[in-house]
Amino acid sequence: MEQGFTVWLTGLSGAGKSTIARLLYDELQARGLKVEILDGDVIRQNLSKGLGFSKEDRDTNVLRVAWVCQVLNKHGVAVIAALISPYRETRARVRAMLPRFVEVYVTAPLEELIRRDPKGLYKKALAGEIPNFTGISDPYEPPENPEVECRTHEETPEQSVAKILAHLESRGWIPEGAEAGQ
Amino acid sequence: MEQGFTVWLTGLSGAGKSTIARLLYDELQARGLKVEILDGDVIRQNLSKGLGFSKEDRDTNVLRVAWVCQVLNKHGVAVIAALISPYRETRARVRAMLPRFVEVYVTAPLEELIRRDPKGLYKKALAGEIPNFTGISDPYEPPENPEVECRTHEETPEQSVAKILAHLESRGWIPEGAEAGQ
């Protein structure tokens, strides 16, 4: 049975993880893969209700998602995980758990994220209304050597996804797309 | 894509859920299916650390497992879930979440379970050392209409598994086994 893989999107709130995840999902499905998105918000609803945003609770959440990735990958499902996952060491533990793992750093300058702020979260965090808000009142440790880096203030979501697909192709984990042969 | 199914083993501690789960796993694998066991003890380690045994925490645990079943079933994986899952209403919610669901009631008289007691848990519970121990200090609501009932004081694990397989065959969810054609 073909082993799946995990594309792990890490980055601050508003950086573009969910947008890239959805586009990537469509592309992988179009190539005939079984795909699942594990998005931070959905996960906190279904898998991690009751967990907070302390380092310990964040780690528990991230490792729990990694366990689900492991089970799905084992059965040939490609998983796109979109979680802030701010701690480097915890992401390293996730990497160690998954035989086929791609770390994608989704990033834009903080001023840009504060400007976007689609859910109004940065505004609240800057006003001191959200404790443990990553990037404002809680740390984010950028990946030192991610497989792919998506700078969403400089590229479109389509360009970001193309980079991830190119990486997956180069690993031989997905068939080449129609465009790649042109 | 072929939809998977969930075999949900419910019953008291020591009734034989894990034994049946492992035998069933081997049989389903031998028939070429993708199979995953979600066993209560493993789940509490990987998915539900921190949850206790109050009704609310038990329900959270059960519904969380059901969510994982849902995702795996969707991608064609057969799941064997072995959890005490003592509350009827919660099991009904699990059933409603899963398009292909088989409830298997694994049971033996309480005196027999107290006699078996491989982990010494009943002894401790009877001594008042384990609060919220299902069957002793916490309720268990037997299924009213399970698809399969395995009375493990009257049948071998092989016989229990044969009944489950026969049910799955009758639903058309698994190919018939070699024995069935003899």
Side-chain angles (χ1 to χ4, degrees), chain A residues 89-142:
Chain A
E89 189 207 334
T90 316
R91 292 194 305 268
R93 289 177 63 187
V94 173
R95 182 184 290 272
M97 286 171 68
L98 301 171
R100 292 181 165 190
F101 177 82
V102 177
E103 188 175 24
V104 178
Y105 179 32
V106 182
T107 183
L110 189 57
E111 314 82 71
E112 166 76 7
L113 302 183
I114 291 170
R115 202 186 52 73
R116 291 181 191 168
D117 203 13
K119 302 179 199 162
L121 293 173
Y122 282 96
K123 200 178 161 205
K124 281 189 186 168
L126 287 166
E129 291 167 27
I130 307 178
N132 300 119
F133 191 83
T134 304
I136 304 294
S137 45
D138 224 36
Y140 180 82
E141 302 171 354

Side-chain angles (χ1 to χ4, degrees), chain B residues 69-137:
Chain B
C69 291
Q70 198 176 50
V71 175
L72 285 166
N73 287 177
K74 182 175 126 189
H75 291 289
V77 180
V79 181
I80 305 165
L83 287 94
I84 296 173
S85 44
Y87 297 106
R88 201 173 284 144
E89 189 206 334
T90 316
R91 293 194 305 269
R93 289 177 64 186
V94 173
R95 181 184 290 272
M97 286 172 69
L98 301 170
R100 291 180 166 192
F101 177 81
V102 177
E103 187 175 24
V104 178
Y105 179 32
V106 183
T107 181
L110 189 57
E111 313 83 71
E112 165 78 5
L113 302 184
I114 291 171
R115 201 187 54 72
R116 290 181 191 167
D117 204 13
K119 302 179 200 162
L121 293 173
Y122 282 97
K123 201 179 159 201
K124 281 190 188 167
L126 287 166
E129 290 168 28
I130 308 177
N132 299 119
F133 190 83
T134 305
I136 304 294
S137 46

